[in-house]
């Protein structure tokens, strides 16, 4: 199955009763067809480490039952998703979102996950190692237990309100404030943020010349360079995810 090639067919839109789709670690290439938005019963969609590229179709906003969406692409041999980050505002039960190691651009929308009904639960959003810019939206303060990974981008601001969300980042915000979300400009940490009392964000010798954005992983780091993930591992959040995996559930 690791040798699977070709593209994701537009015929996928005919699988209207599909509940889970997992195709990972293959040579599947091309773009994600807009017809995927016809799978309105889909609850889990994982397309990790393939060779897919291009933007996320706007029609994915129709996947209103989706609780897990993963399209991360670590490694040089994988594809890269491009274009803006969708708001996913109508994906009301989405609690696990993994879009790290891509080439998404623009800002995090202010209406990102706007209509979520899981704001009091543990929610994981991984957007690290993309090309996102701007500030983390203040509106995300509606989430009480958010784990947000955005290191390795060009983020330049965190609203003060978010630095008081004590249950964010598995409670690390209560201990380290904004640093638990992203290291300040002019400093760095291996994971781009402070995770423990023993590993603070360290000041770079060249200050902001060395680390012009929030969440640097080294002095002189270029935004988008692979950063170490931190906190909960993906395998802890998603059970049954294995290499060379293709799974379809109806």
């Amino acid at each position: 199955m690791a040798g699977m090639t070709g593209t994701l067919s537009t015929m996928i839109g005919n699988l209207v009763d599909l509940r889970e789709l997992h195709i990972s670690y293959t040579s599947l290439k091309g773009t994600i067809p807009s017809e995927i938005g016809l799978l309105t019963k889909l609850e889990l969609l994982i397309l990790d480490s393939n060779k897919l590229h291009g933007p996320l179709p706007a029609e994915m906003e129709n996947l209103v039952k989706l609780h897990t969406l993963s399209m991360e692409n670590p490694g040089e041999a994988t594809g890269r998703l491009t274009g803006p980050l969708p708001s996913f505002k109508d994906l009301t039960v989405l609690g696990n979102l993994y879009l790290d190691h891509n080439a998404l651009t623009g800002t995090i929308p202010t209406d990102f996950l706007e209509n979520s009904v899981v704001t009091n639960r543990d929610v994981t959003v991984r957007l690290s190692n993309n090309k996102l810019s701007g500030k983390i939206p203040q509106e995300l303060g509606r989430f009480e237990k958010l784990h947000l990974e955005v290191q390795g981008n060009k983020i330049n601001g965190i609203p003060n309100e978010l630095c008081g969300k004590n249950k964010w980042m598995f409670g690390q915000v209560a201990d380290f404030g904004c640093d638990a979300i992203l290291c300040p400009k002019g400093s760095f940490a291996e994971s781009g943020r402070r995770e423990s009392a023993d590993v603070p964000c360290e000041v770079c010798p060249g200050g902001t010349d060395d680390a012009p954005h929030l969440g640097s992983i080294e002095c002189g780091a270029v935004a988008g360079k692979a950063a170490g993930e931190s906190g909960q591992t993906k395998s802890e959040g998603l059970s049954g995810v294995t290499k060379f995996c293709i799974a379809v559930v109806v």
Side-chain angles (χ1 to χ4, degrees):
M1 289 188 289
M4 182 179 180
T5 59
T7 61
L8 197 57
S9 172
T10 58
M11 297 293 287
I12 196 171
N14 294 332
L15 304 175
V16 293
D17 291 320
L18 198 66
R19 291 187 293 108
E20 298 184 4
L21 177 62
H22 183 179
I23 304 175
S24 295
Y25 302 96
T26 76
S27 295
L28 195 68
K29 61 183 180 180
T31 59
I32 301 170
S34 60
E35 287 80 3
I36 203 165
L38 298 174
L39 308 183
T40 55
K41 295 183 180 179
L42 203 62
E43 299 174 5
L44 181 145
L45 175 59
I46 302 177
L47 299 173
D48 291 340
S49 297
N50 297 296
K51 296 183 182 297
L52 297 170
H53 62 84
L56 292 163
E59 290 79 5
M60 289 185 67
E61 298 278 3
N62 298 330
L63 305 180
V64 295
K65 293 188 176 181
L66 207 63
H67 62 72
T68 297
L69 171 60
S70 184
M71 297 182 184
E72 60 180 11
N73 287 294
E76 295 298 323
T78 60
R80 292 289 185 269
L81 299 175
T82 57
L85 173 68
S87 71
F88 298 124
K89 64 179 181 178
D90 293 323
L91 275 57
T92 59
V93 296
L94 187 63
N96 297 289
L97 177 63
Y98 303 90
L99 295 175
D100 39 314
H101 299 278
N102 282 293
L104 299 175
T105 55
T107 61
I108 302 173
T110 56
D111 59 351
F112 185 65
L113 301 178
E114 183 176 52
N115 298 318
S116 175
V117 298
V118 295
T119 55
N120 291 321
R121 304 178 191 173
D122 290 320
V123 173
T124 297
V125 174
R126 286 190 177 176
L127 303 172
S128 59
N129 303 304
N130 278 280
K131 298 182 179 181
L132 299 171
S133 58
K135 296 182 178 181
I136 298 175
Q138 181 175 335
E139 289 79 2
L140 289 179
R142 72 176 72 91
F143 291 92
E144 291 300 319
K145 301 178 182 179
L146 182 63
H147 185 76
L148 178 67
E149 296 276 359
V150 288
Q151 68 270 27
N153 288 286
K154 297 181 179 180
I155 302 297
N156 59 25
I158 305 174
N160 288 334
E161 174 189 335
L162 303 185
C163 300
K165 302 296 292 186
N166 290 341
K167 295 182 181 179
W168 274 34
M169 314 305 281
F170 307 116
Q172 291 165 352
V173 170
D175 296 325
F176 310 122
C178 287
D179 288 6
I181 302 173
L182 288 174
C183 285
K185 296 177 183 178
S187 68
F188 78 102
E190 184 178 358
S191 63
R193 66 183 193 88
R194 186 170 187 178
E195 298 181 86
S196 70
D198 298 330
V199 187
C201 297
E202 299 183 46
V203 176
C204 292
T208 55
D209 289 337
D210 281 347
H213 307 294
L214 301 178
S216 293
I217 61 168
E218 63 182 11
C219 296
V222 177
K225 182 177 179 179
E229 300 291 0
S230 56
Q232 180 191 39
T233 64
K234 184 176 176 182
S235 61
E236 290 171 335
L238 296 176
S239 60
V241 178
T242 57
K243 203 169 185 178
F244 309 140
C245 180
I246 300 176
V248 176
V249 178
V250 296

